[in-house]
Amino acid sequence: SSPRFFAVTQAVERSYIMIKPDGVQRGLVGEIITRFERKGFSLKGLKLFQAPKELAEEHYSELKERPFYPELVKYIVSGPVVCMVWEGPGVIASARKLIGATNPLLAEPGTIRGDFGIQSGRNVIHGSDSPDNGEREIALWFKEGELVEWTRNRTHMLAFRA
Ligand code: GDP
Ligand code: MG
């Protein structure tokens, strides 16, 4: 029998990842960026940003009818957030795994929420839930020209001597 080959391919996607105000205040920015970097995804956009209320409302417009919506909007504008675009194969689902369940008490240890949180109302980080929402959120939080087109390339780690 001939050998069988399995092609493990995932579409290259972009996810909008945001460190929420509690994550910034608690000094988790470096830790969180490290987890995405060492996983192997590429950082395409990054900024510290004080969100206006209208933007937080628009970002979470799908949750408008939920009882916690007003509190959620207040939380997101309560201090600066770190806005990021991470790119790579399957990054949407993979980022959600790195992040963990919405309620940090239920999130597995080893995930960001599982390691650093205890309540849904202060769950440290946001990650897009679909490629379409990813693109919608990137367009909301980043302006034209704020994203950088580059390729992560290991030759940058090597020094050559003549
Ligand atoms: P996510 O995709 O895992 O971030 O979760 P959702 O899209 O369902 O909810 C968006 C955000 O709303 C969550 O990340 C929480 O910050 C907040 N949230 C969700 N459920 C609750 C809740 O029951 N109480 C409060 N206070 N906030 C919640
Ligand atoms: Mg969500």
Side-chain angles (χ1 to χ4, degrees):
S1 65
S2 60
R4 288 181 293 180
F5 297 91
F6 297 89
V8 182
T9 55
Q10 291 270 293
V12 172
E13 304 166 336
R14 299 193 301 176
S15 186
Y16 176 65
I17 303 294
M18 177 169 72
I19 305 174
K20 294 176 175 178
D22 54 329
V24 175
Q25 292 291 351
R26 292 174 57 197
L28 297 173
V29 172
E31 167 79 34
I32 289 170
I33 291 177
T34 295
R35 291 186 181 208
F36 282 87
E37 270 191 316
R38 73 185 186 191
K39 178 71 179 167
F41 293 124
S42 303
L43 185 62
K44 294 298 172 93
L46 171 68
K47 67 179 177 187
L48 183 70
F49 184 60
Q50 173 60 58
K53 187 162 179 263
E54 302 67 43
L55 181 53
E57 287 171 345
E58 180 63 25
H59 175 78
Y60 283 123
S61 56
E62 286 172 344
L63 301 174
K64 226 175 357 217
E65 307 307 326
R66 306 297 284 275
F68 56 83
Y69 178 76
E71 194 187 307
L72 172 59
V73 171
K74 262 197 239 167
Y75 164 42
I76 297 303
V77 305
S78 67
V81 294
V82 172
C83 309
M84 296 180 278
V85 176
W86 287 93
E87 185 180 278
V91 68
I92 295 279
S94 183
R96 300 272 297 182
K97 279 195 175 177
L98 291 173
I99 289 170
T102 303
N103 183 343
L105 269 187
L106 305 179
E108 294 292 332
T111 65
I112 293 165
R113 286 168 175 169
D115 286 348
F116 301 120
I118 51 170
Q119 50 172 321
S120 299
R122 293 289 183 273
N123 63 358
V124 180
I125 183 168
H126 164 83
S128 308
D129 64 6
S130 69
D132 283 352
N133 262 339
E135 293 305 318
R136 178 185 75 88
E137 292 165 359
I138 290 166
L140 269 181
W141 290 89
F142 284 94
K143 291 186 199 128
E144 200 81 38
E146 285 185 330
L147 302 182
V148 177
E149 202 36 67
W150 68 292
T151 303
R152 207 171 161 181
N153 183 342
R154 279 187 300 166
T155 60
H156 286 281
M157 301 191 302
L158 306 174
F160 294 95
R161 262 192 299 180

